[in-house]
Amino acid sequence: MTHRLGLLIFPDFQILDAAGPIAAFEIAGRYGDGAYAIEMLATRAGAVRSSSGVEMTARAAGPASAFDTLMIAGGDGTRPASHDAATLAFVRAAAARAGRIAGVCTGAFVLAAAGLLDGRRATTHWSRTDDFVRRFPGVRLEPDRIFVRDGAVWTSAGITAGIDLALAMIADDLGEEIARRTAQQLVVYRRRPGGQSQFSALLELERPDARFGGLLGWARERLGEPLGVERLADQAAMSPRHFARAFAAETGVTPAKAIERLRVEAARERIEAGPDPIDRVAAMVGFGDAERMRRAFLRAFGQPPQALRRAARA
């Protein structure tokens, strides 16, 4: 049985939001005897220019279109697309007939504008979460997740997270073995869990040219020590109040949340790669006790440390 997949694009879409999932489904289709038929869609037929200037050809999305999966690309063009009546009408009609729907990155804005995320859990790119919350207060946004599945509705974070989402769909459709082989062919991890935090955004702040890059590098080397706002502010040569405001404005997270992220990531690496007991890892990275670390893991990954260790060993 061939699974029909429609991917909606629009002017100024992000090309990898489309190309990443397409590549995953195309490769999985080879292993699954032509399991997927992929169609590019747009409100008007023809070439659609991405934000990079590279074009993709799409057919006109019509009200009679029926797909097993409907995906919405993300990118700069989601802002006008999420206000376009024709786009939203198509998305509503196609979603009503689709087995599942998905928004890649800021494609979640289009799904939300169409009313398809009301009351549901969802995620989107970390840089657009404040805007998303203001526009769509009825959506239960989980801003730190790589992807979220709420029934038949899927959403993912930044560009490469669309590949994680596609691999999870492939596992649902064709089984774990084909998803694993697809990931190998793509040279990506198969099991970056959907609950994993969007750490890349924080790690990017450690570049030497980033305002707080040096501070985060300094903190990373001292995770087992107390790292409150006062100490961080002193290291940054700023008053605590000014530091807290400036750090949040630069990074989008509070200093406490940033330190928790660094600690969780350091703990995850030790838990997945080493034999240290959970409580020892918690002490090494500054959580103090295993229960506090467990709660932080649930916030960041949606899973406790023991589950990630079991998955890594498997």
Side-chain angles (χ1 to χ4, degrees):
M1 177 181 173
T2 299
H3 188 106
R4 193 174 173 210
L5 188 150
L7 204 159
L8 182 68
I9 56 177
F10 33 77
D12 290 326
F13 73 99
Q14 166 54 247
I15 196 163
L16 196 54
D17 284 351
I22 287 171
F25 288 114
E26 182 257 327
I27 291 168
R30 289 189 227 154
Y31 295 131
D33 297 322
Y36 295 102
I38 305 166
E39 299 182 44
M40 303 303 297
L41 306 169
T43 53
R44 295 182 180 179
V48 181
R49 185 182 178 88
S50 71
S51 56
S52 68
V54 176
E55 296 179 341
M56 281 188 169
T57 302
R59 74 172 183 83
S65 300
F67 300 96
D68 298 294
T69 297
L70 174 70
M71 300 187 79
I72 316 296
D76 293 342
T78 52
R79 191 177 298 277
S82 66
H83 290 90
D84 180 68
T87 297
L88 298 181
F90 164 74
V91 169
R92 292 186 192 102
R97 305 180 64 183
R100 66 187 172 199
I101 56 176
V104 179
C105 194
T106 53
F109 278 75
V110 178
L111 292 180
L116 301 175
L117 298 183
D118 290 348
R120 292 185 178 274
R121 297 164 49 245
T123 193
T124 190
H125 193 275
W126 65 269
S127 68
R128 297 287 300 279
T129 55
D130 288 346
D131 184 27
F132 190 96
V133 169
R134 282 193 297 270
R135 285 189 61 187
F136 308 111
V139 180
R140 295 158 54 198
L141 190 70
E142 299 188 5
D144 216 24
R145 301 297 180 93
I146 284 182
F147 70 83
V148 169
R149 177 183 184 178
D150 188 329
V153 181
W154 303 57
T155 49
S156 77
I159 294 171
T160 57
I163 297 175
D164 295 284
L165 181 149
L167 288 169
M169 287 182 168
I170 289 163
D172 266 12
D173 296 340
L174 305 178
E176 184 58 43
E177 176 61 18
I178 288 182
R180 183 186 63 80
R181 292 170 66 190
T182 300
Q184 288 179 329
Q185 188 68 22
L186 289 166
V187 197
V188 298
Y189 288 109
R190 161 63 192 104
R191 287 200 175 277
R192 222 171 36 148
Q196 183 167 328
S197 183
Q198 295 184 43
F199 283 109
S200 58
L202 182 64
L203 300 179
E204 179 71 6
L205 296 172
E206 294 188 53
R207 301 189 324 265
D209 61 330
R211 184 177 183 184
F212 294 108
L215 176 66
L216 289 170
W218 175 87
R220 180 182 285 278
E221 296 174 359
R222 296 166 174 79
L223 293 177
E225 304 174 13
L227 293 171
V229 170
E230 291 78 10
R231 189 178 182 195
L232 295 172
D234 183 65
Q235 180 64 23
M238 301 168 70
S239 72
R241 185 175 180 181
H242 178 54
F243 166 74
R245 286 200 304 262
F247 188 92
E250 171 80 10
T251 68
V253 296
T254 64
K257 185 65 173 177
I259 296 303
E260 179 179 285
R261 288 186 184 183
L262 291 178
R263 284 177 169 150
V264 167
E265 179 64 8
R268 181 179 67 88
E269 292 173 0
R270 287 175 168 81
I271 286 167
E272 291 184 341
D276 290 318
I278 299 296
D279 56 353
R280 175 167 171 75
V281 173
M284 290 169 62
V285 301
F287 278 114
D289 63 75
E291 176 57 25
R292 184 180 171 196
M293 185 171 76
R294 186 187 72 84
R295 292 195 299 268
F297 265 61
L298 290 173
R299 286 192 294 270
F301 303 124
Q303 301 180 67
Q306 293 86 345
L308 291 178
R309 172 165 278 177
R310 286 194 296 271
R313 290 176 175 174

